[in-house]
Amino acid sequence: MKAKTAQTEATFLLCMELLKEFDPFLQKYNPPSKATYISPTSQNEMIECCAQKVNSVIVSEMTKSKMYAIMADEARDARSEQLAVCVRYVSEGAVKGRFLALTEIMSFDAQSIANELQQQIQNSGLAELKCVAQTYDGAAVMSGSTGGVQVHSRRLHPEAIYVHCYAHELNLVLCHTCRAVSEAVELFNLLECVYSFFSTSLVNHHKFQEAQSKLGLTAVELVQLSNTRWACQLRSINAILETLPAIFECLSAIGSPIAVGLRAKLYKFSTVYSLLMFQTLLSVTEGLHKFLQKETLDLAEAFISKQAVCDTLRGKRTDVFATELYERTKALCHTHSIPEPDAKKRHKQRKMEDFVLESTLGSGTELISSHTLTTELLFPCVDRMVSELELRFSSVDAGLLKGIQACSPKSQNFLSESHLDELAKHYSINLKKEEVLVARNFLARKTEAGCPPQDMLAVHNLLDSDMFPSLKAINQVGFTVPVSSCSCERSFSALRRLHSWLRKTMGQKMLHSLAAMSIESDILGGLSHNTLIDRFATLKNRRHSLMLPPTK
């Protein structure tokens, strides 16, 4: 490592010597021998200067915007708890989600976290700006309605409505759906057991790969399940269905008690039915998972998309879809020689003394017919998913939500005066009715001219601040309110890259500076080198002046 660093420094100095032959300034310049500014201290100061300049750009944009929303999330980093603070605001006709700070929290109660958030806001000079919303995950310490962080923050920012992160809400919808239906619990437990069987043993994993190659299947790896990332559930089901022939062949060839037990569970008509059913239902919500993670998404658009998913799921609660699903299951079972259940025949279960029991026993309905599968599995799952979607996506007050929807051209109550007025009163904006009337005619003429506004941001950019000051302010509030706290999650992804085991001795200040440079690399890339050097030169008294003398 030292040899490589020395070689890099030598290359840099050789390049400077080459430039000296052509540059008049370098030819006359004689640097002091003891002021090289390549020490670790100087490097850390330069990193700090870069982070400060990035932060100043963000604060400058927020000051011009005059309002913002705050997002925060916690994550464990080795033996410390890190709090990522991000902000959302409107600047230069675009919605921006920016990283503000990464700080270590010593106390985990709601008051301490709220105080830390306020401290970061004050340190950045944002205390005088209007905070219109706050978005956190569903942890009780953050979202508690009586003593959570959101309650303490509203004492300082009464207008800041709380939005439960929609991406986390969707995860909770799927988790509660599967916990409520016993067959779903058994299915995903089975998928986890199959994954563990082929991943924990290299011998089994190699046999699985060889079976795929022998059968001419595309090489596919099984996917581990996660309680927090439900996108992996669909990937796991797809992987199982794609490699089902290889799984059956491997389990039969291995022949161990666990292998025989897993094959017996997979080799059922009801299991295949459940796999195809959840593949369909989770495919409906997969697009919403990705859509809710967009940084520029507004609340009105997210609500419309959620309603579209609910309507699609309701469309699956029909006898037509149930019959189609049953026929698909029959076709797949016929391909793998899995017998169709016969309600008239009763088979006496054999005693399996030498086999391993991996699930609890108990009385339950045996899913042996199309009607039973439909009424006991398909319809309950669809009903639970729809009810959870309707229940959980309602953290924002209904009146304020309608006000935000009234700012969107895709909403049925677009520019509804009563709904806009309720939103304006909450944020102490004096809405003028004449502006709403003129805006309707103005946007109607834009539509007739062939350039209708497609979303809330397009409406904001069309409205002139001198002609529609109050309406534009309300519209700006509408899409400043964030939908999710995914910006904080992305900050933790950068944290894992930066705070590796090679950098465990890094201090909190340096970690924050590197995180700001990494996450906001687009701002860093647009900074002038001269500006950064000037900031470094004036940071403290230097042995040698880095500032050029004033030109005459």
Side-chain angles (χ1 to χ4, degrees):
M1 180 67 72
K2 292 182 178 179
K4 186 175 181 180
T5 304
Q7 184 180 1
T8 304
E9 293 176 0
T11 304
F12 174 76
L13 295 176
L14 288 173
C15 290
M16 295 302 296
E17 289 294 332
L18 179 62
L19 290 174
K20 188 175 181 180
E21 298 181 10
F22 306 97
D23 192 302
F25 175 78
L26 291 177
Q27 291 174 359
K28 299 177 182 179
Y29 179 70
N30 294 315
S33 58
K34 295 183 179 180
T36 59
Y37 298 112
I38 59 175
S39 67
T41 302
S42 297
Q43 292 175 17
N44 293 343
E45 289 175 352
M46 178 56 75
I47 291 173
E48 182 181 349
C49 289
C50 292
Q52 289 175 353
K53 188 59 182 175
V54 168
N55 185 261
S56 66
V57 171
I58 295 173
V59 170
S60 175
E61 292 179 346
M62 293 177 65
T63 303
K64 294 178 182 178
S65 178
K66 298 180 181 180
M67 64 178 69
Y68 70 97
I70 191 167
M71 301 166 283
D73 200 1
E74 306 168 58
R76 178 66 59 85
D77 177 39
R79 297 180 180 178
S80 64
E81 191 78 10
Q82 298 288 341
L83 179 69
V85 183
C86 296
V87 288
R88 177 182 167 111
Y89 56 92
V90 181
S91 176
E92 299 177 353
V95 181
K96 296 185 178 181
R98 296 296 190 185
F99 170 80
L100 189 66
L102 185 68
T103 180
E104 183 180 359
I105 52 176
M106 301 300 180
S107 300
F108 310 117
D109 59 289
Q111 183 65 65
S112 299
I113 297 174
N115 292 341
E116 188 61 41
L117 284 174
Q118 185 62 25
Q119 185 64 47
Q120 294 301 325
I121 292 173
Q122 292 178 350
N123 292 345
S124 300
L126 305 173
E128 300 302 321
L129 299 184
K130 179 184 291 186
C131 181
V132 299
Q134 48 183 329
T135 301
Y136 316 122
D137 60 15
V141 70
M142 305 296 287
S143 62
S145 58
T146 56
V149 172
Q150 59 126 338
V151 176
H152 294 291
S153 295
R154 291 193 71 173
R155 292 171 184 164
L156 300 172
H157 308 280
E159 299 168 333
I161 63 175
Y162 167 64
V163 180
H164 188 165
C165 173
Y166 271 32
H168 285 85
E169 288 277 34
L170 186 56
N171 283 334
L172 291 174
V173 166
L174 300 175
C175 284
H176 283 255
T177 298
C178 290
R179 289 174 185 170
V181 182
S182 59
E183 288 79 7
V185 175
E186 293 178 7
L187 174 68
F188 288 108
N189 286 342
L190 175 59
L191 297 186
E192 185 65 23
C193 290
V194 173
Y195 170 81
S196 300
F197 182 79
F198 286 109
S199 62
T200 55
S201 169
L202 289 177
V203 175
N204 294 343
H205 184 260
H206 289 158
K207 289 182 179 179
F208 178 59
Q209 290 180 322
E210 291 173 0
Q212 292 185 72
S213 177
K214 178 182 176 182
L215 295 171
L217 302 176
T218 304
V220 175
E221 292 291 342
L222 299 181
V223 179
Q224 186 176 15
L225 302 182
S226 170
N227 290 328
T228 57
R229 297 185 181 274
W230 266 80
C232 68
Q233 315 294 46
L234 178 60
R235 292 170 51 217
S236 176
I237 291 175
N238 289 336
I240 290 288
L241 289 173
E242 291 175 18
T243 60
L244 202 55
I247 292 175
F248 283 147
E249 182 168 323
C250 275
L251 294 176
S252 299
I254 293 172
S256 65
I258 294 179
V260 174
L262 290 176
R263 188 181 186 281
K265 290 182 178 180
L266 279 173
Y267 204 75
K268 287 182 179 180
F269 189 90
S270 59
T271 301
V272 178
Y273 183 93
S274 299
L275 287 170
L276 292 177
M277 182 196 71
F278 275 105
Q279 184 187 44
T280 303
L281 298 182
L282 294 180
S283 295
V284 173
T285 61
E286 181 189 22
L288 186 60
H289 268 290
K290 299 176 181 178
F291 188 65
L292 292 177
Q293 296 177 29
K294 293 177 64 176
E295 289 187 349
T296 58
L297 182 64
D298 61 76
L299 206 59
E301 189 78 14
F303 189 81
I304 293 173
S305 302
K306 185 268 295 185
Q307 287 298 116
V309 169
C310 286
D311 294 340
T312 305
L313 289 173
R314 289 191 186 98
K316 303 297 182 184
R317 199 191 187 284
T318 61
D319 292 334
V320 175
F321 175 73
T323 303
E324 176 195 343
L325 180 60
Y326 191 82
E327 292 300 322
R328 286 170 51 203
T329 306
K330 283 176 60 178
L332 186 58
C333 288
H334 178 72
T335 303
H336 299 292
S337 302
I338 300 175
E340 183 179 354
D342 189 348
K344 297 180 181 179
K345 295 181 180 180
R346 295 181 60 87
H347 298 280
K348 185 177 179 181
Q349 186 171 347
R350 296 183 306 166
K351 295 182 179 180
M352 305 188 67
E353 300 174 351
D354 299 329
F355 295 91
V356 177
L357 179 65
E358 294 194 350
S359 63
T360 58
L361 298 176
S363 61
T365 305
E366 190 177 359
L367 305 180
I368 58 175
S369 67
S370 174
H371 177 74
T372 308
L373 288 167
T374 301
T375 57
E376 301 293 335
L377 183 57
L378 175 60
F379 286 176
C381 283
V382 173
D383 292 341
R384 185 69 184 217
M385 288 181 72
V386 172
S387 63
E388 289 283 346
L389 281 169
E390 295 289 358
L391 175 66
R392 292 191 170 275
F393 286 79
S394 57
S395 59
V396 180
D397 179 76
L400 297 179
L401 179 59
K402 289 181 179 179
I404 294 174
Q405 288 176 321
C407 299
S408 173
K410 297 181 180 180
S411 174
Q412 295 179 351
N413 58 349
F414 179 47
L415 291 182
S416 169
E417 191 175 310
S418 59
H419 295 147
L420 288 173
D421 189 58
E422 186 169 355
L423 185 64
K425 288 180 180 178
H426 179 81
Y427 289 103
S428 304
I429 299 174
N430 184 21
L431 176 64
K432 297 181 179 179
K433 298 180 180 180
E434 295 76 13
E435 288 186 25
V436 180
L437 296 175
V438 175
R440 288 175 184 167
N441 294 324
F442 172 74
L443 295 175
R445 288 185 175 274
K446 286 289 184 180
T447 303
E448 292 173 1
C451 50
Q454 299 296 324
D455 52 26
M456 202 183 295
L457 184 60
V459 173
H460 178 79
N461 292 333
L462 284 174
L463 297 178
D464 184 79
S465 57
D466 295 326
M467 188 173 181
F468 308 100
S470 62
L471 185 58
K472 186 159 186 172
I474 294 173
N475 186 270
Q476 183 178 346
V477 168
F479 59 87
T480 299
V481 177
V483 174
S484 70
S485 58
C486 292
S487 298
C488 300
E489 299 287 351
R490 297 185 183 98
S491 303
F492 294 136
S493 298
L495 174 64
R496 294 184 186 97
R497 295 193 301 268
L498 294 170
H499 211 192
S500 63
W501 66 275
L502 290 173
R503 305 189 185 104
K504 284 300 180 183
T505 58
M506 183 190 304
Q508 185 65 35
K509 189 175 183 180
M510 177 60 60
L511 182 60
H512 161 75
S513 298
L514 288 175
M517 293 171 64
S518 174
I519 297 166
E520 304 299 343
S521 56
D522 57 330
I523 297 179
L524 182 64
L527 297 178
S528 168
H529 293 174
N530 291 333
T531 303
L532 295 174
I533 294 173
D534 290 346
R535 181 182 285 268
F536 176 77
T538 56
L539 188 64
K540 66 180 183 181
N541 293 327
R542 303 287 179 184
R543 179 178 299 178
H544 176 69
S545 176
L546 298 176
M547 303 294 291
L548 292 174
T551 56
K552 296 182 179 180

